[in-house]
Amino acid sequence: MISLITCTGDRPECFARCERFVNRMYGLHGWEWIIVDDGHVPTDMPLDLPSTHIRRPPSTDVRDSFRENLKAALTAARGEHIFVIEDDDWYSPTHVVRLGAKLDTFDLVGEAHAKYYH
């Protein structure tokens, strides 16, 4: 099982884009998507993707928000492999397949030399 986890809150445009990226990923067999949301306005959840929505009370501190959302997601995750899917990053359709193959050899994998746009 693969677990995708996304921490979000009050970012509807970002989350809608994230949903499109997850929806077009392939190689997701036996997977779950855990979305933890602590926004003041609940995030619209995906209708056609297998997902679990965890609502938390809004946090006043950005670091606390992410840390507590991540803890809630990791506690709920059942996957042998866990992928953090940020709501404000771009993902290729092959993201999980490409990095998942490396998890057969390494305990932790990630991206290097990412381009950041502000």
Side-chain angles (χ1 to χ4, degrees), residues 7-24:
C7 301
T8 193
D10 292 329
R11 297 162 52 104
E13 296 88 6
C14 289
F15 187 78
R17 195 172 305 116
C18 179
E19 180 183 356
R20 285 195 306 274
F21 295 151
V22 170
N23 197 33
R24 70 184 181 146

Side-chain angles (χ1 to χ4, degrees), residues 70-86:
L70 186 59
K71 280 175 28 181
L74 290 171
T75 300
R78 297 176 294 136
E80 178 182 354
H81 299 303
I82 297 173
F83 291 81
V84 175
I85 303 295
E86 303 266 358

Side-chain angles (χ1 to χ4, degrees), residues 15-64:
F15 187 78
R17 195 172 305 116
C18 179
E19 180 183 356
R20 285 195 306 274
F21 295 151
V22 170
N23 197 33
R24 70 184 181 146
M25 286 182 188
Y26 64 82
L28 296 177
H29 305 289
W31 66 288
E32 64 181 353
W33 188 15
I34 300 166
I35 302 150
V36 183
D37 173 19
D38 69 347
H40 293 279
V41 176
T43 300
D44 290 335
M45 289 297 105
L47 298 176
D48 57 348
L49 297 172
S51 59
T52 299
H53 184 204
I54 300 171
R55 279 285 296 153
R56 292 191 51 259
S59 298
T60 56
D61 180 87
V62 174
R63 279 181 270 187
D64 284 341

Side-chain angles (χ1 to χ4, degrees), residues 11 14 17 88-89 114-118:
R11 297 162 52 104
C14 289
R17 195 172 305 116
D88 60 353
D89 285 351
K115 294 184 190 221
Y116 290 91
Y117 299 91
H118 300 281

Side-chain angles (χ1 to χ4, degrees), residues 25 82-86 89-103 108-116:
M25 286 182 188
I82 297 173
F83 291 81
V84 175
I85 303 295
E86 303 266 358
D89 285 351
W90 178 87
Y91 295 96
S92 80
T94 63
H95 179 75
V96 170
V97 171
R98 188 172 43 83
L99 290 182
K102 295 176 191 257
L103 286 171
L108 180 67
V109 298
E111 299 284 335
H113 308 294
K115 294 184 190 221
Y116 290 91

